[in-house]
Amino acid sequence: GSEKGRMSNDLAGVWEVALSDGVHRIEFEHGTTTGKRVIYVDGKEILRRDWMFKLVGKETFSVGKSDTKATINIDAVSGFAYEYTLEINGKSLKKYMENRSKVTSTWVLNLDGIDCRVVLEKDTMDVWCNGQNIETAV
């Protein structure tokens, strides 16, 4: 893909989200003249609306291998200023990350010179290594 087309003036928000299968980068473009909305996850365009009559609202999409639900809320703050908030599974990103650190443990192990990122989800007891769900004997 050509990188030069990606540096749009309409880039309104960039978020880094740590999920079980790794860290995902979410980018949101918002054209406040046309109402254009484009969402990229890890550099791939997953949603595009070239013309939106309403400038405020929300877009819901899924992220990562576990299809985690994400929502970008667009709110008008004043005049021509807009605020963009990302929610993961219905929680604001900040709350989600705080909650996630309570329900998951993450380790980075060096095995044969390769860094492995291991995540244990305490609520489901799922173990992920570098984004792959691992079968574990409990």
Side-chain angles (χ1 to χ4, degrees):
S2 81
E3 282 298 303
K4 68 178 192 300
R6 297 266 293 109
M7 290 310 295
S8 163
N9 303 338
D10 294 333
L11 193 63
V14 178
W15 297 272
E16 303 265 332
V17 184
L19 300 178
S20 304
D21 62 346
V23 178
H24 298 281
R25 182 182 169 89
I26 297 169
E27 295 169 82
F28 179 56
E29 290 181 8
H30 190 218
T32 48
T33 42
T34 60
K36 177 187 84 167
R37 300 176 187 176
V38 189
I39 296 172
Y40 299 94
V41 175
D42 299 329
K44 289 190 196 70
E45 181 180 308
I46 56 155
L47 183 141
R48 172 181 287 270
R49 301 185 201 286
D50 281 321
W51 177 262
M52 291 288 286
F53 186 67
K54 280 182 66 174
L55 290 178
V56 296
K58 56 168 61 176
E59 294 293 349
T60 299
F61 54 100
S62 59
V63 180
K65 289 185 184 148
S66 50
D67 281 338
T68 301
K69 186 171 144 261
T71 304
I72 293 174
N73 293 300
I74 309 159
D75 298 296
V77 186
S78 64
F80 293 103
Y82 295 88
E83 184 177 68
Y84 308 95
T85 47
L86 178 69
E87 290 179 359
I88 302 290
N89 282 336
K91 298 186 182 76
S92 75
L93 184 59
K94 185 172 183 300
K95 284 202 180 71
Y96 169 80
M97 295 311 274
E98 285 167 4
N99 183 53
R100 184 161 177 82
S101 62
K102 290 192 195 93
V103 298
T104 59
S105 300
T106 305
W107 302 270
V108 175
L109 310 173
N110 192 300
L111 302 174
D112 298 329
I114 300 159
D115 281 341
C116 295
R117 181 172 171 274
V118 178
V119 179
L120 167 68
E121 296 192 354
K122 293 173 193 163
D123 49 351
T124 59
M125 296 312 282
D126 280 351
V127 176
W128 297 73
C129 179
N130 287 351
Q132 301 293 326
N133 198 331
I134 298 172
E135 294 293 316
T136 52
V138 178

